Structures are given as structure tokens and as C-alpha cells.
């Protein structure tokens, strides 16, 4: 047997033929044997050897889809929690990703015979069969070629790329790095290394890690100021490169002079938003952040989504044991301090400007057994169409205008609108780009988040490579 399976060289195997039973346990001598090898073993050993068939997952695109799909494992690993739901210890159960979220669709049911047994354990009667039931086939919204392109575009960086339909919430790309090989995990290869890695390979950065937003929060703050009538499109603040609060200086990247809200978004002027944030106050900022879906789960059909942080005076006292200061409000005005969000939350927030004022629920499930799910959930958040248009035009200027912080994306001729963000971090700053396109009839919303790259310019370059490749392969409509 050992020789046939290739477990021992021929010369060694011959010496142990008579004592083969003492060499191997009668179970699990070999796993995953080819059909030709099974026939060879059966011909040689007949009923003296048992061949057991069992299902096995194989994941194409094992790295690219690790965080979307998750994997399966024996229910015995956490049977105490599962037995109440009808699982047996030897069943496989979905763990993480779609495998876990839609396990009830995917797993099916085992079959078997119902037998009547007497007190001595002897079979005395046959009561019937219970047919096995296969799991359902489900189709996801994620595009395999798009996902592969996103994975390549991220290169060696840690971060996330998301592409979503701006109107119905279908997720076309949900790519997170660092990632891991799903086929290795289900075969027990390097599992300890994967789960203990400092790169947090197992965590889906799109939904499970939240980050300071930086300047990608500014469109939300602009909308809040306009809706609360604290500013008009013509209201200006003077930027001399800094904002003074008491003895503390809060800086801007440049000296911009007089800026209205459109110019402040295009140039990403911190001073404008410091002034606006002080007018809104901490309670106003947190109220509008939540209105745009921050600080709460998006409702995506994946397990373990995080809510992020939207701070206010009550939150700070409860969690930090400290009162709120005006400096906290200034920081929050530019997406720093007690304000952190997942990349998916930022896509949902920017889509409000793309779809005319709807907070949409993102989803991955397209159909079950060929039946369309019809999942489209969105909530109109009652915003002025005029104010939405003002901010939307400013977001277009970020790309279209030569002085805009994402102007290189204009070369793609996709009509992209969006906002960049360099979010300060305890180490190197994170880089953001969020946006939508095409401008006149938005269809796609995008987010690129890169950890510890120092500047948003790198996120814009990754967005360029990603979108350019999609365009070259004719995977998007524009």
C-alpha cells in the first residue's frame, strides 16, 4: 500500500510488505487519492482496504477571494455552539466570508437509513431511507476579472479596493490585502502562521478594520454646513496656512487665501473646514457623520463587520474617561481624532452624492439557484438637490481641475469625481481615494485605501492603474 501510494520507495516497501499493518494506522493512510490510484489499490487488495469518498472544497483565485469567500472546516471545532442548530460533529461548516454567512444555503443535508435495533444492538427492521440533499448554488455579484485586477493593482501594499454599483449596492470588487491561500487553510498548511501574522492576513480590511478618514470626510462636512444653513455656496473663509485655537496652531497644507466651499473641496483646504466644524460643533458633526452611514454597520452580507467610531462628548467620556475639548472638534472637522470608518462605509457615504441622496445597503448575493434575489435596500436621507449638486460639482473639480488633488485621473476620460485623503496615523499616514463615475450618469462608486503609504497620492496612483486596466479590458461602461 505504501509503495502504491508513493509514501515509501520500492526497495524499502518490499522489506516491510509482511509487516505493513504495524507501519500504518488503519485510518487516514492517505488523503486525496486519484481515481486511477483507487482502482489500482482495490485490484490489489480487494476488501482488505477501505476507500472512503468525501466532498472537498477547492478555491480558484484562492488569494484574491480569501476575504470574500471564507472557507469550510469541521463542525467539531466549535460543536458546542453549533449542535443546537442541527449540525453533527463531522459536518463541514462555513467559517468567515460568504461560506459562513450563507452556510444554510450551501451545506445541504446528509442522507441515511433508518433502522430498528433490538436491546442487543441487532438490526431487526428497516424503517426507510432519508435522501441526502445537496446544497444550493449561489451566484455572487463580484466580478472575477475585476477582482484579479484589483488584487494586482494593490501590489505589495496593505489595503483595500472596493467597486460598487452606486444605485443598487452590488459589490463588483471587494479586495483586501494582506490575504491568504484558502486552499492552504482547508488542508492545514501554515494555518498558525496565517492566524498569528502581524500583517493581520485573516482580517478583511474592507469591513473589519477602521481608519481615520482624513479629508475624504470633507464632502460630508460641506453637506452638513449647507443643510444646516451655516454656510452658503458663496461663504468664504480666509486660509493663511493655519487656524489658531487659543495658543494651538492647526495647520493647512498650503496658503489658499479666500476659499468658498467648492474651492475648499478641490484644494482640500483644512482651514475652511476648521472654521465650518467650529460652527457645526461636535454634536452637529457626529449627527451628520451618522446620517451618512458612519458609526454603524452597512448591512453587507458578510459576518463580523465593524461599525467604526463616530465620537462626541458622551462617547469620549464613556470610552476615554475625559471631557470633550474644542481641539477635538477641530480635529474631527478634517476627519481626524475620534472619527474612524471602514473602507466600505466610505463607499456607501460617497454614493449618496452619486445616486441623488440615498444611503444604500451593499450586498454580494446575486441569485440562488438561478432565482434573482432582488436585494436592493436604500434609504432616502432627505437632502436638498441643490446642495447635493454643489458638492457633487466640487467633487468633479477635484479630478477635472488642474489644481485638483486627483487630477491625474482625468487622463482616463471616465468622468471621475471624488476626494483624496491623507489620514494621519501613529506611524505613517494612510492614503485614501473615494469617488464615483461617470459624472453625468454615475454608475460606479470606488474606494482605494492604502495603509502607511504617507500620502493620498499613492492611493490615486493605484486607483489609476486599477481603473485603467478595467477600461482596457472593457469591463466597465462609461
Amino acid at each position: 500500500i505504501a509503495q502504491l501510494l508513493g509514501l515509501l520507495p520500492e526497495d524499502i516497501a518490499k522489506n516491510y510488505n509482511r509487516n505493513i499493518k504495524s507501519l500504518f494506522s488503519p485510518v487516514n493512510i492517505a488523503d486525496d487519492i486519484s481515481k486511477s490510484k483507487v482502482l489500482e489499490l482495490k485490484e490489489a487488495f480487494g476488501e482488505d482496504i477501505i476507500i472512503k469518498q468525501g466532498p472537498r472544497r477547492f478555491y480558484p483565485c484562492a488569494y484574491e477571494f480569501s476575504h470574500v469567500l471564507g472557507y469550510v472546516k469541521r463542525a467539531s471545532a466549535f460543536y458546542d455552539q453549533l449542535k443546537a442548530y442541527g449540525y453533527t460533529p463531522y459536518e463541514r461548516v462555513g467559517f468567515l466570508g460568504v461560506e459562513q454567512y450563507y452556510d444554510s444555503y450551501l451545506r445541504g443535508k446528509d442522507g441515511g437509513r433508518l433502522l430498528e435495533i433490538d436491546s442487543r444492538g441487532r438490526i431487526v427492521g428497516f424503517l426507510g431511507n432519508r435522501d441526502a440533499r445537496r446544497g444550493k448554488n449561489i451566484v455572487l455579484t463580484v466580478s472575477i476579472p475585476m477582482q484579479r485586477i484589483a488584487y494586482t493593482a494593490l501590489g505589495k501594499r496593505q489595503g483595500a479596493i472596493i467597486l460598487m454599483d452606486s444605485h443598487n449596492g452590488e459589490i463588483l470588487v471587494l479586495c483586501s490585502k494582506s490575504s491568504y491561500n484558502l486552499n492552504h487553510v482547508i488542508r492545514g498548511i501554515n494555518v498558525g502562521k496565517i492566524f498569528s501574522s502581524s500583517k493581520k492576513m485573516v482580517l478583511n480590511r474592507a469591513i473589519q478594520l477602521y481608519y481615520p478618514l482624513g479629508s475624504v470626510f470633507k464632502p460630508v462636512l460641506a453637506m452638513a454646513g449647507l443643510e444646516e444653513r451655516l454656510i452658503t455656496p458663496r461663504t468664504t473663509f480666509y486660509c493663511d496656512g493655519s487656524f489658531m485655537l487659543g495658543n494651538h496652531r492647526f495647520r493647512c497644507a498650503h496658503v489658499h487665501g479666500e476659499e468658498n466651499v467648492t474651492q475648499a473641496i478641490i484644494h482640500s483646504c483644512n482651514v475652511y473646514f476648521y472654521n465650518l466644524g467650529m460652527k457645526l460643533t461636535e454634536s452637529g458633526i457626529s449627527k451628520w457623520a451618522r446620517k451618512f452611514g458612519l458609526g454603524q454597520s452597512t448591512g453587507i452580507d458578510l459576518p463580523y463587520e465593524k461599525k467604526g467610531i463616530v465620537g462626541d462628548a458622551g462617547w469620549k467620556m464613556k470610552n476615554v474617561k475625559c471631557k470633550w475639548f474644542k481641539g477635538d472638534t477641530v480635529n474631527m472637522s478634517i476627519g481626524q481624532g475620534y472619527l474612524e470608518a471602514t473602507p466600505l462605509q466610505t463607499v456607501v457615504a460617497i454614493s449618496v452624492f452619486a445616486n441623488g441622496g440615498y444611503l444604500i445597503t451593499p450586498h454580494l448575493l446575486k441569485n440562488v439557484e438561478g432565482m434573482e434575489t432582488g436585494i436592493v435596500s436604500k434609504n432616502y436621507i432627505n437632502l436638498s438637490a441643490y446642495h447635493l449638486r454643489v458638492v457633487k460639482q466640487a467633487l468633479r473639480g477635484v479630478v477635472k481641475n488642474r489644481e485638483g488633488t486627483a487630477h491625474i485621473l482625468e487622463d482616463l476620460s471616465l468622468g471621475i469625481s471624488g476626494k483624496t485623503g491623507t489620514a494621519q496615523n501613529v506611524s505613517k499616514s494612510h492614503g485614501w481615494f473615494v469617488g464615483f463615475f461617470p459624472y453625468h450618469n454615475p454608475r460606479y462608486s470606488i474606494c482605494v485605501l492604502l495603509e502607511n503609504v504617507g500620502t493620498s497620492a499613492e492611493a490615486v496612483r493605484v486607483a489609476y492603474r486599477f481603473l485603467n486596466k478595467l477600461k482596457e479590458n472593457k469591463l466597465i461602461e462609461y
Side-chain angles (χ1 to χ4, degrees):
I1 297 175
Q3 183 185 339
L4 284 169
L5 294 176
L7 298 175
L8 289 175
E10 182 178 356
D11 57 337
I12 298 177
K14 285 180 179 178
N15 293 330
Y16 287 98
N17 275 339
R18 295 182 180 179
N19 299 309
I20 195 72
K21 291 183 180 179
S22 65
L23 281 176
F24 297 99
S25 166
V27 292
N28 296 331
I29 289 178
D31 198 10
D32 197 18
I33 307 169
S34 68
K35 186 175 181 180
S36 61
K37 188 65 69 176
V38 167
L39 294 174
E40 190 176 351
L41 286 166
K42 271 297 187 184
E43 184 178 354
F45 296 98
E47 297 303 317
D48 292 333
I49 189 167
I50 297 172
I51 306 294
K52 183 180 179 182
Q53 284 185 295
R56 166 166 287 175
R57 283 281 199 271
F58 173 77
Y59 297 97
C61 310
Y63 283 99
E64 295 93 327
F65 280 87
S66 58
H67 299 101
V68 172
L69 297 180
Y71 58 95
V72 291
K73 63 192 299 185
R74 283 284 179 89
S76 55
F78 27 81
Y79 183 57
D80 287 343
Q81 292 82 15
L82 293 173
K83 61 184 178 182
Y85 298 95
Y87 289 86
T88 66
Y90 299 105
E91 280 189 276
R92 297 177 309 155
V93 61
F95 184 65
L96 302 177
V98 169
E99 289 277 23
Q100 179 171 336
Y101 196 92
Y102 288 115
D103 184 70
S104 59
Y105 284 157
L106 295 168
R107 72 183 178 106
K109 287 194 175 181
D110 292 332
R113 291 182 175 183
L114 299 177
L115 303 174
E116 185 178 0
I117 308 295
D118 67 13
S119 60
R120 296 183 180 182
R122 296 175 300 191
I123 298 173
V124 297
F126 173 71
L127 302 179
N129 282 324
R130 183 179 65 190
D131 293 334
R133 191 180 72 194
R134 69 172 181 83
K136 291 181 169 64
N137 292 319
I138 69 173
V139 176
L140 303 182
T141 60
V142 181
S143 161
I144 292 176
M146 286 183 175
Q147 185 85 355
R148 284 174 166 167
I149 289 170
Y151 188 84
T152 301
L154 282 171
K156 296 181 179 180
R157 305 167 193 85
Q158 294 186 166
I161 296 179
I162 302 170
L163 190 69
M164 183 181 81
D165 187 302
S166 306
H167 295 273
N168 65 22
E170 286 191 357
I171 296 291
L172 306 173
V173 170
L174 192 76
C175 186
S176 173
K177 269 195 173 181
S178 294
S179 62
Y180 58 100
N181 189 320
L182 290 172
N183 294 316
H184 284 181
V185 172
I186 60 175
R187 298 183 69 177
I189 301 172
N190 295 328
V191 174
K193 181 180 178 181
I194 290 168
F195 277 83
S196 63
S197 171
S198 60
K199 293 183 179 181
K200 300 177 181 177
M201 295 181 186
V202 177
L203 293 181
N204 185 344
R205 283 167 163 76
I207 68 167
Q208 289 181 283
L209 291 179
Y210 41 89
Y211 305 86
L213 285 166
S215 295
V216 295
F217 182 62
K218 288 173 180 175
V220 175
L221 200 73
M223 198 69 198
L226 291 166
E227 289 287 289
E228 296 284 357
R229 311 293 180 184
L230 297 173
I231 57 169
T232 72
R234 295 184 178 85
T235 301
T236 63
F237 295 107
Y238 184 79
C239 171
D240 62 1
S242 64
F243 174 86
M244 295 299 298
L245 180 66
N247 296 323
H248 192 81
R249 186 182 299 273
F250 294 83
R251 298 190 179 277
C252 189
H254 303 282
V255 175
H256 295 109
E258 290 286 343
E259 296 263 276
N260 61 29
V261 68
T262 298
Q263 295 165 328
I265 289 174
I266 292 172
H267 302 142
S268 202
C269 177
N270 285 350
V271 170
Y272 187 97
F273 289 98
Y274 292 147
N275 282 282
L276 177 54
M278 292 301 288
K279 285 178 173 289
L280 274 165
T281 74
E282 138 270 334
S283 61
I285 296 172
S286 61
K287 179 185 85 171
W288 279 91
R290 293 188 181 99
K291 191 162 188 172
F292 273 76
L294 306 180
Q296 55 195 306
S297 63
T298 66
I300 189 171
D301 42 351
L302 286 175
Y304 311 120
E305 181 187 10
K306 299 297 184 184
K307 295 181 179 181
I309 297 171
V310 174
D312 54 24
W315 180 93
K316 188 181 179 186
M317 183 58 69
K318 179 181 178 181
N319 292 277
V320 187
K321 311 301 180 188
C322 182
K323 70 176 185 178
W324 190 272
F325 297 102
K326 289 183 178 180
D328 296 324
T329 304
V330 175
N331 276 329
M332 202 172 180
S333 301
I334 59 164
Q336 297 287 162
Y338 303 111
L339 181 63
E340 298 185 358
T342 66
L344 186 61
Q345 287 174 322
T346 67
V347 170
V348 171
I350 203 70
S351 294
V352 171
F353 301 102
N355 62 34
Y358 289 89
L359 201 63
I360 200 157
T361 301
H363 65 274
L364 290 161
L365 184 64
K366 189 171 184 66
N367 71 57
V368 180
E369 293 287 313
M371 298 285 290
E372 293 291 328
T373 61
I375 297 174
V376 178
S377 175
K378 55 186 182 179
N379 178 36
Y380 185 62
I381 57 176
N382 196 26
L383 302 173
S384 159
Y386 172 61
H387 292 155
L388 277 170
R389 188 163 61 251
V390 168
V391 178
K392 184 180 175 183
Q393 288 172 347
L395 293 170
R396 178 71 182 115
V398 171
V399 178
K400 186 176 182 179
N401 290 19
R402 288 192 175 275
E403 65 271 24
T405 54
H407 181 61
I408 67 167
L409 296 177
E410 188 65 7
D411 293 343
L412 294 172
S413 301
L414 293 173
I416 300 170
S417 308
K419 186 71 189 76
T420 59
T422 300
Q424 294 177 3
N425 186 36
V426 290
S427 55
K428 211 171 179 182
S429 296
H430 304 314
W432 289 93
F433 176 75
V434 297
F436 53 87
F437 64 96
Y439 172 73
H440 290 295
N441 186 23
R443 179 165 183 175
Y444 307 99
S445 296
I446 181 175
C447 169
V448 176
L449 176 278
L450 302 180
E451 293 182 0
N452 309 122
V453 291
T455 172
S456 63
E458 188 61 24
V460 175
R461 282 191 283 269
V462 168
Y464 184 98
R465 284 193 288 272
F466 169 61
L467 294 174
N468 187 48
K469 207 68 178 175
L470 295 185
K471 184 180 176 183
E472 285 179 358
N473 287 276
K474 299 180 179 179
L475 294 172
I476 50 176
E477 299 177 14
Y478 54 95

